[in-house]
PDB file of all heavy atoms in Angstrom:
ATOM      1  N   THR A  26      75.061 133.658 101.844  1.00  0.00           N
ATOM      2  CA  THR A  26      75.875 134.814 101.435  1.00  0.00           C
ATOM      3  C   THR A  26      76.163 134.771  99.934  1.00  0.00           C
ATOM      4  O   THR A  26      75.650 135.596  99.179  1.00  0.00           O
ATOM      5  CB  THR A  26      77.208 134.838 102.201  1.00  0.00           C
ATOM      6  OG1 THR A  26      77.915 133.617 101.978  1.00  0.00           O
ATOM      7  CG2 THR A  26      76.988 135.059 103.688  1.00  0.00           C
ATOM      8  N   ARG A  49      93.546 130.112  92.456  1.00  0.00           N
ATOM      9  CA  ARG A  49      93.771 130.906  93.652  1.00  0.00           C
ATOM     10  C   ARG A  49      95.171 130.680  94.172  1.00  0.00           C
ATOM     11  O   ARG A  49      95.617 129.551  94.281  1.00  0.00           O
ATOM     12  CB  ARG A  49      92.754 130.463  94.714  1.00  0.00           C
ATOM     13  CG  ARG A  49      92.917 131.159  96.026  1.00  0.00           C
ATOM     14  CD  ARG A  49      91.828 130.741  97.000  1.00  0.00           C
ATOM     15  NE  ARG A  49      91.328 131.914  97.673  1.00  0.00           N
ATOM     16  CZ  ARG A  49      90.411 131.903  98.615  1.00  0.00           C
ATOM     17  NH1 ARG A  49      89.854 130.792  98.997  1.00  0.00           N
ATOM     18  NH2 ARG A  49      90.035 133.009  99.193  1.00  0.00           N
ATOM     19  N   ASP A  53      96.258 131.632 100.209  1.00  0.00           N
ATOM     20  CA  ASP A  53      94.979 132.175 100.664  1.00  0.00           C
ATOM     21  C   ASP A  53      94.154 131.076 101.348  1.00  0.00           C
ATOM     22  O   ASP A  53      93.722 130.136 100.704  1.00  0.00           O
ATOM     23  CB  ASP A  53      94.227 132.718  99.441  1.00  0.00           C
ATOM     24  CG  ASP A  53      93.212 133.754  99.833  1.00  0.00           C
ATOM     25  OD1 ASP A  53      93.080 134.028 101.043  1.00  0.00           O
ATOM     26  OD2 ASP A  53      92.544 134.279  98.946  1.00  0.00           O
ATOM     27  N   HIS A  58      83.253 124.992 106.607  1.00  0.00           N
ATOM     28  CA  HIS A  58      81.825 125.112 106.901  1.00  0.00           C
ATOM     29  C   HIS A  58      81.340 123.901 107.684  1.00  0.00           C
ATOM     30  O   HIS A  58      81.616 122.770 107.290  1.00  0.00           O
ATOM     31  CB  HIS A  58      81.042 125.235 105.595  1.00  0.00           C
ATOM     32  CG  HIS A  58      81.393 126.465 104.793  1.00  0.00           C
ATOM     33  ND1 HIS A  58      82.610 126.601 104.166  1.00  0.00           N
ATOM     34  CD2 HIS A  58      80.700 127.595 104.537  1.00  0.00           C
ATOM     35  CE1 HIS A  58      82.651 127.786 103.553  1.00  0.00           C
ATOM     36  NE2 HIS A  58      81.503 128.406 103.762  1.00  0.00           N
ATOM     37  N   THR A 108      95.922 129.089 112.299  1.00  0.00           N
ATOM     38  CA  THR A 108      94.538 129.428 112.638  1.00  0.00           C
ATOM     39  C   THR A 108      93.566 128.847 111.622  1.00  0.00           C
ATOM     40  O   THR A 108      93.947 128.482 110.521  1.00  0.00           O
ATOM     41  CB  THR A 108      94.363 130.952 112.648  1.00  0.00           C
ATOM     42  OG1 THR A 108      94.716 131.444 111.350  1.00  0.00           O
ATOM     43  CG2 THR A 108      95.244 131.595 113.695  1.00  0.00           C
ATOM     44  N   ARG A 112      82.651 128.688 109.749  1.00  0.00           N
ATOM     45  CA  ARG A 112      81.299 129.210 109.891  1.00  0.00           C
ATOM     46  C   ARG A 112      80.243 128.151 109.643  1.00  0.00           C
ATOM     47  O   ARG A 112      80.505 127.129 109.000  1.00  0.00           O
ATOM     48  CB  ARG A 112      81.072 130.427 108.992  1.00  0.00           C
ATOM     49  CG  ARG A 112      80.667 130.152 107.563  1.00  0.00           C
ATOM     50  CD  ARG A 112      80.412 131.502 106.877  1.00  0.00           C
ATOM     51  NE  ARG A 112      79.783 131.355 105.566  1.00  0.00           N
ATOM     52  CZ  ARG A 112      78.483 131.507 105.329  1.00  0.00           C
ATOM     53  NH1 ARG A 112      77.643 131.771 106.325  1.00  0.00           N
ATOM     54  NH2 ARG A 112      77.988 131.378 104.110  1.00  0.00           N
ATOM     55  N   SER A 134      84.541 131.182  98.019  1.00  0.00           N
ATOM     56  CA  SER A 134      83.494 131.565  97.086  1.00  0.00           C
ATOM     57  C   SER A 134      83.799 130.936  95.722  1.00  0.00           C
ATOM     58  O   SER A 134      84.968 130.787  95.359  1.00  0.00           O
ATOM     59  CB  SER A 134      83.411 133.085  96.986  1.00  0.00           C
ATOM     60  OG  SER A 134      84.703 133.629  96.756  1.00  0.00           O
ATOM     61  N   SER A 172      80.454 136.471 104.250  1.00  0.00           N
ATOM     62  CA  SER A 172      80.316 136.530 105.699  1.00  0.00           C
ATOM     63  C   SER A 172      81.272 137.552 106.321  1.00  0.00           C
ATOM     64  O   SER A 172      82.319 137.867 105.755  1.00  0.00           O
ATOM     65  CB  SER A 172      80.609 135.149 106.293  1.00  0.00           C
ATOM     66  OG  SER A 172      81.923 134.736 105.969  1.00  0.00           O
ATOM     67  N   ARG A 186      87.032 141.157 107.988  1.00  0.00           N
ATOM     68  CA  ARG A 186      86.302 141.476 106.750  1.00  0.00           C
ATOM     69  C   ARG A 186      84.870 141.845 107.132  1.00  0.00           C
ATOM     70  O   ARG A 186      84.202 141.052 107.773  1.00  0.00           O
ATOM     71  CB  ARG A 186      86.297 140.258 105.816  1.00  0.00           C
ATOM     72  CG  ARG A 186      85.452 140.464 104.554  1.00  0.00           C
ATOM     73  CD  ARG A 186      85.547 139.295 103.577  1.00  0.00           C
ATOM     74  NE  ARG A 186      84.758 138.158 104.003  1.00  0.00           N
ATOM     75  CZ  ARG A 186      84.671 137.010 103.340  1.00  0.00           C
ATOM     76  NH1 ARG A 186      85.351 136.837 102.226  1.00  0.00           N
ATOM     77  NH2 ARG A 186      83.923 136.023 103.787  1.00  0.00           N
ATOM     78  N   PRO A 214      93.520 137.464 103.173  1.00  0.00           N
ATOM     79  CA  PRO A 214      93.896 137.884 101.822  1.00  0.00           C
ATOM     80  C   PRO A 214      92.723 138.484 101.052  1.00  0.00           C
ATOM     81  O   PRO A 214      92.928 139.196 100.094  1.00  0.00           O
ATOM     82  CB  PRO A 214      94.401 136.593 101.184  1.00  0.00           C
ATOM     83  CG  PRO A 214      94.908 135.801 102.345  1.00  0.00           C
ATOM     84  CD  PRO A 214      93.952 136.103 103.467  1.00  0.00           C
ATOM     85  N   GLY A 215      91.514 138.224 101.484  1.00  0.00           N
ATOM     86  CA  GLY A 215      90.366 138.922 100.912  1.00  0.00           C
ATOM     87  C   GLY A 215      90.470 140.408 101.145  1.00  0.00           C
ATOM     88  O   GLY A 215      89.676 141.197 100.643  1.00  0.00           O
TER      89      GLY A 215
HETATM   90  O1  LIG B   1      80.348 134.070 102.960  1.00  0.00           O
HETATM   91  C1  LIG B   1      81.441 133.515 102.881  1.00  0.00           C
HETATM   92  O2  LIG B   1      82.308 133.620 103.745  1.00  0.00           O
HETATM   93  C2  LIG B   1      81.676 132.663 101.606  1.00  0.00           C
HETATM   94  C3  LIG B   1      80.759 131.451 101.663  1.00  0.00           C
HETATM   95  C4  LIG B   1      81.019 130.471 100.532  1.00  0.00           C
HETATM   96  O3  LIG B   1      80.869 130.817 102.910  1.00  0.00           O
HETATM   97  N1  LIG B   1      83.057 132.244 101.564  1.00  0.00           N
HETATM   98  C5  LIG B   1      84.057 133.075 101.243  1.00  0.00           C
HETATM   99  O4  LIG B   1      85.259 132.440 101.139  1.00  0.00           O
HETATM  100  O5  LIG B   1      83.908 134.265 101.054  1.00  0.00           O
HETATM  101  P1  LIG B   1      86.537 133.112 100.472  1.00  0.00           P
HETATM  102  O6  LIG B   1      87.552 132.024 100.458  1.00  0.00           O
HETATM  103  O7  LIG B   1      86.180 133.703  99.184  1.00  0.00           O
HETATM  104  O8  LIG B   1      86.951 134.196 101.483  1.00  0.00           O
HETATM  105  C6  LIG B   1      87.430 133.774 102.739  1.00  0.00           C
HETATM  106  C7  LIG B   1      88.271 134.820 103.367  1.00  0.00           C
HETATM  107  C8  LIG B   1      89.552 135.076 102.602  1.00  0.00           C
HETATM  108  O9  LIG B   1      89.757 136.462 102.546  1.00  0.00           O
HETATM  109  C9  LIG B   1      90.580 134.408 103.481  1.00  0.00           C
HETATM  110  O10 LIG B   1      91.831 135.025 103.401  1.00  0.00           O
HETATM  111  C10 LIG B   1      89.990 134.560 104.854  1.00  0.00           C
HETATM  112  O11 LIG B   1      88.617 134.338 104.655  1.00  0.00           O
HETATM  113  N2  LIG B   1      90.498 133.546 105.781  1.00  0.00           N
HETATM  114  C11 LIG B   1      90.347 132.214 105.698  1.00  0.00           C
HETATM  115  N3  LIG B   1      91.005 131.599 106.690  1.00  0.00           N
HETATM  116  C12 LIG B   1      91.583 132.554 107.436  1.00  0.00           C
HETATM  117  C13 LIG B   1      92.408 132.561 108.601  1.00  0.00           C
HETATM  118  N4  LIG B   1      92.770 131.433 109.203  1.00  0.00           N
HETATM  119  N5  LIG B   1      92.802 133.751 109.083  1.00  0.00           N
HETATM  120  C14 LIG B   1      92.449 134.912 108.473  1.00  0.00           C
HETATM  121  N6  LIG B   1      91.678 134.970 107.368  1.00  0.00           N
HETATM  122  C15 LIG B   1      91.253 133.806 106.854  1.00  0.00           C
END
Side-chain angles (χ1 to χ4, degrees):
T26 57
R49 177 176 224 182
D53 203 359
H58 298 70
T108 59
R112 85 177 190 99
S134 50
S172 60
R186 175 175 77 180

